[in-house]
Amino acid sequence: MSLITDQAIHLSPTYRLQWEEAQQMFVLLYPEGLIELNQSSAEILQHCDGTNKLSDIVQILEQKFATTGLENDIASFLNVALENGWINQSAEPTRPLYISYAVFCLK
């Protein structure tokens, strides 16, 4: 399985990205445990919200860190994440889960 560059990227439903205060790092939680993430991985996954494609994530992070040339590194990480089942892709952008949750709670 390989990343499709023109499709939106989102976390798989069985994974949740979360800041762990005790460990001072982001982790991916899943039913069997957790995955500790380095800062770069966490920065990338924070933008896998169902609305962004590879090019969007590259643009966001290159602007944030005032640099260029991140596409290959980001694509490599996202391919690993896809192979491990941490992320999925969809042809149509989806609403971020936290927005849907917030709307649900307000009703």
Side-chain angles (χ1 to χ4, degrees), residues 56-97:
D56 301 320
I57 296 170
V58 170
Q59 181 181 16
I60 291 166
L61 295 179
E62 285 183 345
Q63 285 179 346
K64 180 175 182 174
F65 295 105
T67 191
T68 60
L70 297 179
E71 184 169 358
N72 287 339
D73 290 336
I74 293 171
S76 293
F77 171 75
L78 290 173
N79 272 308
V80 169
L82 185 63
E83 290 170 9
N84 284 306
W86 304 344
I87 60 171
N88 291 322
Q89 291 190 274
S90 54
E92 296 296 320
T94 58
R95 292 175 56 191
L97 182 60

Side-chain angles (χ1 to χ4, degrees), residues 19-87:
W19 174 255
E20 282 293 320
E21 188 65 34
Q23 297 169 314
Q24 290 292 299
M25 67 173 47
F26 277 95
V27 297
L28 267 181
L29 297 174
Y30 61 105
E32 295 83 27
L34 64 85
I35 300 161
E36 295 180 348
L37 300 170
N38 64 26
Q39 183 180 356
S40 299
S41 301
E43 288 286 347
I44 295 167
L45 289 177
Q46 288 178 72
H47 299 287
C48 295
D49 61 4
T51 63
N52 294 313
K53 299 179 277 191
L54 172 62
S55 60
D56 301 320
I57 296 170
V58 170
Q59 181 181 16
I60 291 166
L61 295 179
E62 285 183 345
Q63 285 179 346
K64 180 175 182 174
F65 295 105
T67 191
T68 60
L70 297 179
E71 184 169 358
N72 287 339
D73 290 336
I74 293 171
S76 293
F77 171 75
L78 290 173
N79 272 308
V80 169
L82 185 63
E83 290 170 9
N84 284 306
W86 304 344
I87 60 171

